[in-house]
Amino acid sequence: MPTRTLLFLTTALAMTSAAQAATPPQSSSGNDIVVTGTREQATALKKNAAVVLDARSSQEIRSLPDVNAAEALQRIPGIQMESDTGEGRFVNIRGLDADLNAATYDGVRLTASNPATPQGGGRAVAFDAFPSGMLGGIEVIKTLTPDMDAEGLGGVVNILPRAIPEGNTTVLDAEGGVGYEPLRGTARYQGDMTAGATFGDGMFSLIGSYAYNEDHRSIDDVEADYINDPTAAPAGTDAYVASKIYDDLQPRRYTYHRIRHGFSGGLTFQPSDTTQFYVRGIHAGYTEYANKHEFVINGLADHVVAVDNNSGDVTVDSASLREKVISTKEIVRNDLIEAGGRTQFGRGIKLDFRGAYTKGRDVFPYGYSTNFTDPNDVTLVYNNTANPRVPTFHTTDGTDITDPSIYTDFKGDNGPSYNSDSEKSGVINLAIPVGFGSDAAIKVGGSVRARKRLAHAYAADFNDPGRSYAAFSGFGNEVYYNGAYNIGPYPDYSKVEGIPQGPLSEDLSAYEDDNENVYAGYAQYRGGFGPISVVGGVRVEATDATYRANTEADLADGSSTFTLTPSKRRYTNIFPDIDFRYSPNDNLVVHAGFSTAIGRPGFDQITAARSIDVANDVVSQGNPDLKPTTGKNFDASVEYYTGRGGMISFAVFYKAFSNYIIPTVQHVDSYPDPRLANPAGKIEIDSFQNIGSAHAEGLEAAIRQQFLFLPGWLSGFGVDGNVTLVGSHGALHQDPDTGALYYHTLPQTSPFAANASLFYDKHGFQAKIAGSYVSKNIFAVGDSVATDVYSQPRFRLDASAAIDITPRMSFFVEAKNLTNTKLEFTQTPDSRYPIQREFYKPDYLAGVRIRLGH
């Protein structure tokens, strides 16, 4: 483990102090959080909630090798995790893509750090920036109340701060581990520490957490694009083989070095039993260095001269070979600070208030991309039918593709970028007791959220070094993907990064400067009538936004000018909500509710800004005419609690949407921009549109139970699992000639998802094996049903074990991704048409946990 982490943990272990327990923070759902350190406390949070929610404790998060918040969230009913570069990053709630859900920390809305969200909205929070060691717990709130922001069509993920355990005066937890990643034989390191205490006769409490994770992940990947034109094959070609004619093939080998940090802390001042003031904050994110070696074969459909219908071999006489070397540095940060308080006066009147500032950033200080191309076309044979997941190729004209000296044509650029998304917010609430119902109160309040989004992209062309790829590669060939591919010598990334470049200039077509202000007010009733409690009311939100982007105009001399063009949007929405909770006894809870919500168009969806991927001939642009998506949600659940953290639950939901937003893809023969590698070729234009109405419905079932009724050592066994079924429907395509609509499940709606774990916890020994499954779903909408992109089913198995060495120290081992789960995308739902297939192999970690405090 790095020296700085060991020093940090050693210092933490020397800390001691004593006082009274800290006053807890508050859940997004409006419930006081005692602490969600154990499974029992997480179950109690769900049981006592006024709305439908699920929670996972910090103890449960630590019980599996979930390195970040996204991977911890995947264990919760209704959650489907989307991974990238071998780690969980975004999550979908009840079949809705990440851009339509909300994320908060301690109830304060988080803004996006990574603008590259799966559906392109740029609003989703990337949870891989939050190391699991800094989490006090997580909850997913699935029905909204009027005192909550109305954003969150699928639900709200709320990250809970670490807190001093109930009954303790201090807390001091520490963990350190070292791991192994076998794909490239690299090491990983992990450590975290939480320390807290109260002082000043119980008036002050202070707690802080630090988490560290460093890895050297690697990826074996192969990607491809289809020409989607069977006529590119000679007459008489088998229909299946003709449908699989490639446009290009790209074996890729990636190496990442990620250093992730997370800090969180809070100071509370409680001068009396009825008054409290607090300050809390977080700083979380990572720095990642990526080295990518891609071998690109273009022109595979331009001159197909022969096809063997029996073997599937396709012969091409004018393919182009390219060695592509990419080196990037990315800095992702999430910062939040909040200050507020609460007090009670008069006859039970309660006032609470909060001001907060949060900011997400994604910065690429550099993004070097170089292409070394063989100027001579080659004749080769490829086959993607014998084994579609591992296509093969070889030259037939004597060309040695691993000879670096043949790649003499050079083109390269450096593309730094800066994206930020920040928000200033203020909230004030006043609750006044009323006589209608037990513990009844009318709550009124208001909030202001002022959000600002900035996006800058820059570019500088590399000077042609006048040398072939041989001058920028090392010794030995990169043979990988279980030996399937040899893509030539290893790049010497330091030499590539040292190629002189021209002046850096801003890409004005990608510039964004957006302001989005949301003003809200609400009135809410909460009260009880015997076993029934009610929360209901109405919220009004006014949106005042200005989205600024540059409009490009072509001049007579062939140059372009850019004019900053603002697009203003103002609208007001009314959101009624009501939730019923029925609990006839201590074991049974029934929820029923109706709530409304909004999904504002993503900044990248509504902007007029345009970005161009020069290497792949892709133009991405927003649609300033988009309307926000609104939704009506109907929820019901039955929960039975068996004690000691045990629970069985069943929930159903239905969501109806207006103005649902989907991504669109068009292909055009030409595009008037000289930056494209082939302006007269096939250009892809990615954008967005409203499709009118859509809906999603489904059910969730969950069980968690330790078998305490069994005799002796058998009582340590238990199960924890859940199943989610989701159906959805929307018009994803329109026939350009007839206008006919084609309906399908909504993007990223997996019809079936499940989690199941078997655990053992007794006599100082804990062990767990957990599997997670997500079914096939449509991931990206193409320009037709034939070009829609699907994410194929995936199943992952993880395991962990820990044994107490002393009452305050334990040794643990973890194994992640024992199944070597692949991330696989296909064109159409047919698994025989893969366009991306990558894998990572398992990784392992072992270490020590220390628990002090009293």
Side-chain angles (χ1 to χ4, degrees):
M1 182 179 294
T3 302
R4 57 183 177 274
T5 305
L6 287 173
L7 289 173
F8 191 86
L9 294 175
T10 302
T11 302
L13 293 175
M15 296 175 58
T16 58
S17 57
Q20 297 177 0
T23 301
Q26 192 176 63
S27 157
S28 273
S29 59
N31 298 308
D32 285 336
I33 303 168
V34 176
V35 62
T36 57
T38 67
R39 181 172 61 250
E40 290 84 355
Q41 290 163 332
T43 302
L45 180 62
K46 175 180 176 66
K47 178 181 178 181
N48 298 321
V51 297
V52 178
L53 64 78
D54 288 282
R56 188 168 176 82
S57 68
S58 60
Q59 181 187 76
E60 293 174 291
I61 294 170
R62 282 173 173 248
S63 69
L64 284 170
D66 297 331
V67 298
N68 61 50
E71 297 189 346
L73 282 162
Q74 73 175 315
R75 317 290 179 182
I76 290 179
I79 296 292
Q80 298 159 1
M81 182 186 75
E82 294 294 337
S83 62
D84 189 57
T85 68
E87 277 195 5
R89 175 166 290 176
F90 298 102
V91 298
N92 307 326
I93 305 177
R94 290 181 161 181
L96 297 190
D97 76 80
D99 282 320
L100 298 179
N101 302 310
T104 59
Y105 178 87
D106 189 28
V108 178
R109 184 167 295 272
L110 293 167
T111 53
S113 55
N114 191 329
T117 58
Q119 295 302 310
R123 287 188 181 271
V125 171
F127 290 105
D128 60 341
F130 300 90
S132 57
M134 67 175 289
L135 308 178
I138 46 178
E139 62 179 3
V140 179
I141 303 162
K142 298 173 179 177
T143 58
L144 305 183
T145 54
D147 59 350
M148 298 175 62
D149 288 327
E151 278 189 69
L153 289 169
V156 179
V157 172
N158 185 41
I159 298 176
L160 305 175
R162 296 294 296 265
I164 299 174
E166 186 178 15
N168 281 25
T169 56
T170 63
V171 61
L172 184 53
D173 295 337
E175 174 184 303
V178 178
Y180 177 68
E181 297 164 317
L183 184 61
R184 304 283 188 264
T186 53
R188 58 178 295 241
Y189 309 96
Q190 184 171 303
D192 63 73
M193 186 275 295
T194 296
T198 60
F199 52 93
D201 295 327
M203 287 196 300
F204 295 92
S205 65
L206 179 66
I207 190 167
S209 293
Y210 169 69
Y212 178 91
N213 186 282
E214 181 177 0
D215 64 33
H216 295 79
R217 288 169 298 118
S218 298
I219 297 174
D220 282 2
D221 183 25
V222 59
E223 302 189 14
D225 292 296
Y226 301 91
I227 192 64
N228 301 314
D229 182 6
T231 64
T237 300
D238 177 80
Y240 170 62
V241 178
S243 70
K244 288 175 62 65
I245 297 295
Y246 276 151
D247 185 30
D248 58 68
L249 177 64
Q250 304 174 42
R252 302 179 176 189
R253 186 183 186 274
Y254 297 158
T255 302
Y256 293 87
H257 178 200
R258 175 176 289 191
I259 304 169
R260 177 169 33 220
H261 294 270
F263 297 89
S264 66
L267 174 65
T268 301
F269 171 55
Q270 187 160 341
S272 69
D273 292 339
T274 59
T275 301
Q276 177 197 91
F277 303 96
Y278 61 87
V279 177
R280 301 186 186 110
I282 59 170
H283 173 76
Y286 58 81
T287 299
E288 182 169 80
Y289 302 88
N291 289 330
K292 304 178 182 181
H293 183 191
E294 303 177 1
F295 185 72
V296 183
I297 310 174
N298 285 318
L300 293 178
D302 293 341
H303 293 90
V304 178
V305 296
V307 176
D308 187 326
N309 287 329
N310 293 320
S311 67
D313 285 350
V314 179
T315 303
V316 181
D317 70 357
S318 59
S320 172
L321 306 179
R322 175 161 41 114
E323 292 277 10
K324 186 173 183 178
V325 181
I326 299 171
S327 177
T328 64
K329 177 182 179 181
E330 182 181 17
I331 301 171
V332 173
R333 295 289 184 268
N334 290 271
D335 297 295
L336 180 150
I337 186 168
E338 60 167 326
R342 64 185 72 170
T343 188
Q344 181 175 321
F345 54 90
R347 297 183 177 181
I349 298 175
K350 297 179 181 179
L351 175 70
D352 68 86
F353 51 90
R354 179 183 66 215
Y357 175 77
T358 183
K359 184 174 184 177
R361 286 173 290 161
D362 184 50
V363 180
F364 280 86
Y366 61 81
Y368 303 117
S369 178
T370 59
N371 294 271
F372 296 88
T373 305
D374 180 359
N376 302 306
D377 290 340
V378 301
T379 300
L380 58 77
V381 175
Y382 71 88
N383 189 305
N384 61 8
T385 58
N387 184 354
R389 294 180 172 181
V390 188
T392 61
F393 62 91
H394 63 274
T395 61
T396 59
D397 59 3
T399 300
D400 179 6
I401 68 170
T402 66
D403 179 2
S405 66
I406 68 173
Y407 302 97
T408 56
D409 284 355
F410 174 83
K411 184 177 182 180
D413 61 74
N414 177 20
S417 63
Y418 174 86
N419 286 272
S420 69
D421 190 351
S422 61
E423 182 173 285
K424 300 175 183 177
S425 62
V427 179
I428 187 168
N429 303 296
L430 182 68
I432 303 171
V434 295
F436 183 64
S438 60
D439 297 322
I442 296 292
K443 187 177 181 183
V444 296
S447 66
V448 177
R449 294 168 45 208
R451 193 164 183 172
K452 186 173 184 61
R453 168 82 187 282
L454 283 173
H456 296 272
Y458 304 87
D461 290 332
F462 279 129
N463 299 325
D464 191 337
R467 290 173 287 170
S468 71
Y469 179 55
F472 300 93
S473 58
F475 296 101
N477 290 333
E478 290 206 272
V479 181
Y480 75 111
Y481 213 83
N482 291 330
Y485 299 109
N486 181 350
I487 58 174
Y490 288 86
D492 188 328
Y493 290 96
S494 62
K495 291 182 179 179
V496 170
E497 294 168 2
I499 298 175
Q501 66 183 45
L504 198 66
S505 60
E506 183 165 8
D507 179 1
L508 296 178
S509 66
Y511 174 74
E512 294 180 46
D513 181 1
D514 306 322
N515 292 95
E516 188 177 81
N517 301 326
V518 179
Y519 309 94
Y522 73 91
Q524 172 182 289
Y525 168 83
R526 181 189 294 244
F529 302 89
I532 299 175
S533 61
V534 181
V535 179
V538 65
R539 183 180 187 88
V540 179
E541 290 192 353
T543 304
D544 183 1
T546 303
Y547 307 101
R548 304 174 186 85
N550 284 313
T551 301
E552 185 175 4
D554 296 327
L555 300 179
D557 61 2
S559 62
S560 300
T561 62
F562 293 90
T563 303
L564 187 62
T565 305
S567 174
K568 296 184 179 294
R569 300 297 302 276
R570 293 186 178 92
Y571 47 89
T572 300
N573 300 92
I574 299 175
F575 302 100
D577 303 300
I578 188 164
D579 289 274
F580 296 93
R581 181 182 184 274
Y582 172 65
S583 183
N585 55 56
D586 194 50
N587 301 105
L588 182 64
V589 175
V590 179
H591 283 284
F594 167 78
S595 60
T596 52
I598 189 172
R600 295 176 177 86
F603 295 104
D604 289 339
Q605 293 174 332
I606 200 170
T607 181
R610 182 192 66 190
S611 63
I612 294 179
D613 181 348
V614 175
N616 297 302
D617 296 338
V618 176
V619 179
S620 300
Q621 59 191 32
N623 178 0
D625 296 325
L626 287 178
K627 300 177 182 178
T629 302
T630 55
K632 300 175 182 178
N633 311 311
F634 301 88
D635 295 87
S637 69
V638 179
E639 305 154 10
Y640 184 78
Y641 295 88
T642 60
R644 298 290 299 273
M647 175 207 68
I648 300 173
S649 68
F650 181 83
V652 295
F653 59 89
Y654 177 82
K655 299 174 179 290
F657 309 109
S658 299
N659 297 314
Y660 196 87
I661 298 171
I662 64 166
T664 61
V665 179
Q666 292 180 301
H667 291 95
V668 297
D669 292 332
S670 62
Y671 194 86
D673 195 301
R675 293 172 295 172
L676 294 175
N678 183 14
K682 195 172 186 180
I683 310 300
E684 178 179 312
I685 301 177
D686 298 339
S687 191
F688 306 89
Q689 71 177 34
N690 293 109
I691 62 170
S693 62
H695 66 83
E697 65 280 331
L699 60 87
E700 300 167 351
I703 181 172
R704 56 168 64 187
Q705 182 66 59
Q706 187 168 352
F707 304 142
L708 299 172
F709 53 84
L710 294 177
W713 63 273
L714 292 174
S715 62
F717 283 105
V719 295
D720 186 357
N722 56 76
V723 173
T724 303
L725 302 177
V726 180
S728 64
H729 197 63
L732 300 191
H733 293 288
Q734 185 173 23
D735 189 292
D737 298 321
T738 66
L741 297 177
Y742 295 91
Y743 291 85
H744 204 283
T745 56
L746 299 177
Q748 293 192 266
T749 300
S750 294
F752 180 78
N755 294 280
S757 65
L758 175 67
F759 66 85
Y760 187 86
D761 186 358
K762 198 171 184 67
H763 300 311
F765 177 71
Q766 305 88 38
K768 181 177 285 190
I769 184 166
S772 60
Y773 175 83
V774 176
S775 64
K776 182 188 307 180
N777 66 79
I778 183 170
F779 185 81
V781 179
D783 56 354
S784 69
V785 174
T787 58
D788 287 340
V789 175
Y790 282 76
S791 175
Q792 290 294 312
R794 55 192 183 274
F795 171 76
R796 196 180 91 177
L797 191 66
D798 306 310
S800 67
I803 186 169
D804 291 345
I805 303 171
T806 73
R808 296 185 180 274
M809 180 180 293
S810 62
F811 173 77
F812 70 90
V813 293
E814 297 176 344
K816 178 181 175 182
N817 190 26
L818 288 168
T819 46
N820 189 21
T821 298
K822 315 298 188 295
L823 179 67
E824 188 170 5
F825 295 101
T826 60
Q827 182 174 286
T828 78
D830 192 332
S831 63
R832 297 176 300 173
Y833 294 83
I835 60 173
Q836 179 179 355
R837 184 175 183 265
E838 61 184 39
F839 64 87
Y840 328 96
K841 288 192 175 179
D843 65 59
Y844 308 95
L845 185 77
V848 175
R849 295 189 180 112
I850 298 173
R851 302 173 298 275
L852 301 177
H854 57 277

